[in-house]
Structures are given as structure tokens and as C-alpha cells.
Amino acid sequence: MLMAVAFIASADLPPRPQAGAWMGRLVTEWLPDGRRFRLLEEFAFVGSSGEVWRALEGAAVDGSCFPSQFIRYIGHPFAGPQRKAAVVYDISCHEQKRGWRETQRMFYEAARLEGVRPVDAKVMYFALINFGPRWGSTLPRAISTDEDFSRGALYIRRHPEISLPGIEQLSDAALRKR
């Protein structure tokens, strides 16, 4: 059974997380193919809005939803403090129960909860919105080359106060002007 932490108690309102929470533990085992692992227990991320992102026991995770730019310029998604966020993101991308942008924002919030520095989480988010999977959308990608990604990542690092909507508005043309 999963138990959430960091809830505000009130007689009139149901419990709501303050700024996100993890429920359960991330427990895995490698599968024989050596590329994937399986969850041995259910765990979940509860966003600050109260939305629950479940990673069910038995789910197989392979990291295929992370673009090569993420791995090349940031590092492997399962190595580092963003590990739990990466598992929930990968499962959510395969399930496609929510929109791709909502899923990418969940990754950002979950990575922050895990201790990823804000500017690093923003660069990760930038990689996902420009190179990650999209479903149910025909929106063109604003960034399409590694050079433009590098320029965008550098811009974000130099302007760490940039908001997520601001990151979503970055384009190769805008970055070339800056």
C-alpha cells in the first residue's frame, strides 16, 4: 500500500500535497535483455496540483523516451538525482494517458523534488520539449539540431530565472539573435 507524505490536514478539505511528494519506493530488477528493468513495487509521484503519476509494479522501463540529446549533453536519465522522475516519465510516455507537455512538466517538477538544481532541471526540460516524444500533436519543433540545443542550454544557464513558458518559447531563430 502506498502512503503519501507532506500533506496538509484540514477538516473541510481532502489532503493535498504542498509541493509534490513521492509515494512508495523505487525498487527494480534488471531484465535478462540487460537494457530494461522491471518495477518490483508500485510507486508514484504526486504533483503539487495533487495529480498522481503512478508507476505500477511489473512495469518495464527502458529509457527509450529520452532523446539522445538528453543523454549526450546531460547524462543518463537513470544516473543521478532525477532517477525516480525519469522512471515515471518513461512509463508515462509509453502509456500516453496524459498530454506530452503535461508529462514533460511533471518530469521537471519531479526532478526538482528529487534535488535537481533548478537550472539543470530547466535544461532537461528544454531537451524533452524539443527532442522528446510527442503524441496527439503536430506542433513543429522549435529546436531541431544539436547546435541549437547547445545554444539553448547555454542561454538557460546564463538566464536561470527563465520560466518554463519562456523555455517553451525559445526557438533557433530567437537564440541566434541573443
Side-chain angles (χ1 to χ4, degrees):
M1 174 168 226
L2 298 176
M3 297 191 56
V5 295
F7 283 99
I8 301 171
S10 170
D12 299 359
L13 300 172
R16 302 282 295 190
Q18 294 176 25
W22 289 102
M23 297 169 39
R25 302 180 311 151
L26 174 58
V27 181
T28 66
E29 72 176 350
W30 285 103
L31 294 173
D33 64 14
R35 296 181 307 101
R36 299 175 302 139
F37 55 89
R38 176 182 23 244
L39 299 181
L40 297 178
E41 295 181 12
E42 178 179 349
F43 82 105
F45 171 69
V46 182
S48 59
S49 68
E51 189 165 9
V52 179
W53 298 76
R54 294 192 186 285
L56 298 177
E57 178 181 345
V61 179
D62 63 5
S64 65
C65 294
F66 287 89
S68 61
Q69 290 80 4
F70 190 103
I71 295 165
R72 219 173 16 255
Y73 295 106
I74 298 166
H76 200 282
F78 301 128
Q82 71 278 354
R83 182 178 299 115
K84 286 195 235 179
V87 170
V88 175
Y89 175 79
D90 196 64
I91 291 169
S92 297
C93 285
H94 287 295
E95 291 176 345
Q96 298 182 2
K97 291 180 179 177
R98 297 176 178 100
W100 61 271
R101 189 158 303 211
E102 184 181 5
T103 301
Q104 291 160 350
R105 282 185 178 241
M106 174 278 301
F107 174 85
Y108 171 83
E109 186 178 349
R112 288 290 300 123
L113 180 64
E114 281 301 291
V116 174
R117 292 182 8 201
V119 70
D120 293 334
K122 288 176 180 180
V123 171
M124 292 175 185
Y125 181 72
F126 181 67
L128 294 178
I129 64 168
N130 286 293
F131 297 101
R134 293 181 177 185
W135 50 93
S137 173
T138 58
L139 287 174
R141 295 182 186 262
I143 303 296
S144 59
T145 69
D146 286 0
E147 182 181 321
D148 291 333
F149 172 76
S150 294
R151 194 177 358 268
L154 181 61
Y155 180 83
I156 293 166
R157 290 194 187 288
R158 288 183 176 160
H159 300 88
E161 73 286 349
I162 190 169
S163 66
L164 297 187
I167 291 170
E168 293 165 4
Q169 298 302 312
L170 293 176
S171 67
D172 58 346
L175 288 168
R176 289 175 202 270
K177 293 177 185 177
R178 296 177 183 203

